[in-house]
Amino acid sequence: MRTGGHGVKLQYLRHPILTAKKTRSRLSTHFHIMRFAFHGKRRFRGDPRYDLQTVTDGFRAQKDDRTDDARILERICEAYIRTVEKQEAENGCYQASGRWQEIRKRSLGPVLKALLTRDISALKRMYRNFFRDPCSAGILGAPGGLSEAYFSGRIRDVHRHFYLSHVLCRLDYWKSLTGGRYTTHDLAGPGVGNPFGVLIDGTHISVGAEYSHYCSHRVREQLGAQSATVAEMGGGFGRTAYYLLRDRPGTRYVGFDLPENVALVSYYLMRALPNLKFLCYGEQAITRESISEVDVVMLPGFALTTVPPGSVDLTFTSHGISELSVEELGHSLREISRITSKRLLFMSHRAVSQNISECVQRQCPAFALEESCESAWHSYKVSGAGVGRGGSVDALTIVENCYSRNSYSVSASFESSTVTI
């Protein structure tokens, strides 16, 4: 395309426009960081926890190269390859969203290649550093998306102020929501994956630990005193599962996610909880007996249809089904209803939560809404939300809906059913 008689091509006009947009975005991000950093400095003036050194210490590399995890990684590769081979034959349901496909193309190429080719050395290098490595893109990232600011050397004071303000706001909110029944030490993690965060009262609190612990707390509130089996749809890198399994002995966990996320969760939990027994996809038929004989079952999303009816007591998700289409959501909820004998706990943004609630009414008539509440984890004053972008009230509010089953019965033929995968 030409303009006037000078032959200026449209593609050359795009670069200044894109540059201007990027500049505006950077300036907006910087403004929000400055604003929230100032908010935190003012709010926590005189608070002994407000020490910038806690950020410096919390971001210091702490990779663990002492453990030989080759066998774990070989097992994960085998399960991943079986998953990919099976998924190619599946229909469109339980496939990655458009956003996630973009993340795969942009950031996950090296880890996907390592999994498919059983490159244990490369996989070990990435997974041992997954908090800071692109292999966890879409799940983890530097504060504000500023990898260079936080991971390339000395962290500037403005960025330390921003992150420490963010952490302390969320710690106080976590204590408020949980009634102050936990101490900072309860947020300690296993140190797997070279985590970054802050070091407070001798405890390393990795990024987002307070929310993961809160999710575990909410799940435990829904369970009785007896042992229980919990399923989670989309578990991030597995930290909520870690807290749940660590703090509630006797709990069995069944995790469903995209194949590459299942691989990462499997690594994290196997390293963090080496005394537990794991079942990976394709190693054994998924039956009531095989589930009861292990502590953790890790499955791709499409394997939800292979789980026997009523096999889990509670199914939980925090944003794990938010990106499903209406058709995919309906199909998933029917399967979730089929495998869940007692309770459902769904946490998501307000608009998404409304869609899920309406779908539950249509697809899961055996379940009734028992409790609904809102939390403000993504509000500006709790999380610094809005860094680099605006956010509506609906986008910043999390709705927590808990459903209970009115009645549950399964025929004898289903009670003994098994499915080989």
Side-chain angles (χ1 to χ4, degrees), residues 241-287:
Y242 167 75
Y243 287 135
L244 181 63
L245 293 164
R246 183 196 70 180
D247 298 338
R248 195 179 188 280
T251 301
R252 290 188 179 85
Y253 175 84
V254 184
F256 298 93
D257 212 324
L258 296 170
E260 53 272 15
N261 292 351
V262 170
L264 183 57
V265 174
S266 299
Y267 176 80
Y268 180 75
L269 294 179
M270 286 179 178
R271 284 288 311 276
L273 301 165
N275 294 327
L276 298 188
K277 188 174 181 181
F278 289 76
L279 175 60
C280 297
Y281 180 72
E283 292 181 337
Q284 196 174 344
I286 301 301
T287 66

Side-chain angles (χ1 to χ4, degrees), residues 76-122:
I76 289 170
C77 287
E78 290 294 333
Y80 179 80
I81 292 169
R82 285 192 292 262
T83 298
V84 172
E85 291 173 347
K86 179 67 174 179
Q87 191 170 42
E88 290 177 352
E90 295 293 320
N91 56 29
C93 207
Y94 305 112
Q95 301 296 319
S97 65
R99 183 187 73 88
W100 193 260
Q101 290 178 19
E102 283 300 313
I103 291 174
R104 279 176 173 164
K105 293 177 183 177
R106 185 172 64 250
S107 305
L108 302 184
V111 70
L112 300 184
K113 180 180 178 181
L115 286 165
L116 284 171
T117 61
R118 298 182 177 87
D119 189 341
I120 303 302
S121 178

